[in-house]
Amino acid sequence: VDLLQGTQIKLGGRTFTGGVCDYPALSPDGKSLAVTFSRNSTLRRVYLLTPDNEKPRPVGQALDIRSLSWLGDGRALVLLVADPAEEGGKEPGFRIVRLGLDGKVSEVCNDTGQFATVSGKDADEIFFQGRDSLWYTCDSEGEDVTMVGNGLEGLESPAVNPEGTHAVMIERDEESRSWPVVVELVSGKKFPVKVAR
C-alpha cells in the first residue's frame, strides 16, 4: 500500500488464490518479502515475493511455522516451528530452525517456547522464549545460549526494536491487568512506560 496515495499493489498473482498468507517479514535490504502460505492446513510453506516478480518463489518444504524473521545479512530466514501435538492433547513442542534461501533447513534450537525472532536487522542473534517460559538469546547456529537478565519471568509478547537492543514487552499482575515495559536485551533491565494498568 502506498501510504501517501492509498493505492495498492497485489503481490503473488494466482499462487495465493484460495489460501491464507501469514507472518510477513521484509528482508533487511527491503527488496523481498517472505510470507508463509497454506490452504486449509497447519502446514505452511515459505514464499519470497518482490514487486517486480508476479510469481512468488517457494522456499523449502511445508512445516507448521509459527513465526518468520530474517537474519541480518539476508542469507537465511529463522522460523519457529511446532512439532506434532503430543499424546493426551499436551501443548506441542517448538523448535527454532534456519531456512536457507536454497531451501535447506538447519536445526538451531529445540524444546523452546512459543516465540522466536532475530533481534536486530544487522544481528546474527535470536531472541526466544525457552520451554521454561524464561527468555534467552543465542546465535544463528544455536550456540552461546544466554539468559536475558534474570529470565524476564512473567513478561510476554515482545516487540524488538530495529537495532535489536531493546524490546517492549507486556507485564501482568494478579488481577490480569497489563501494561508495557521496555527491556534492555543485553542486561535484562526493565524500564516502565508511563501508562495506566
Side-chain angles (χ1 to χ4, degrees), residues 7 45 65 81 91 157:
T7 55
R45 192 169 185 189
I65 300 167
V81 176
E91 181 71 26
S157 304

Side-chain angles (χ1 to χ4, degrees), residues 125-160:
E125 190 168 76
I126 299 168
F127 178 54
F128 69 97
Q129 185 181 43
R131 193 72 180 243
D132 57 6
S133 298
L134 300 179
W135 295 91
Y136 299 85
T137 59
C138 69
D139 65 22
S140 65
E141 303 293 328
E143 303 294 328
D144 196 24
V145 176
T146 306
M147 182 182 286
V148 178
N150 63 0
L152 308 177
E153 186 174 6
L155 298 186
E156 56 190 49
S157 304
V160 180

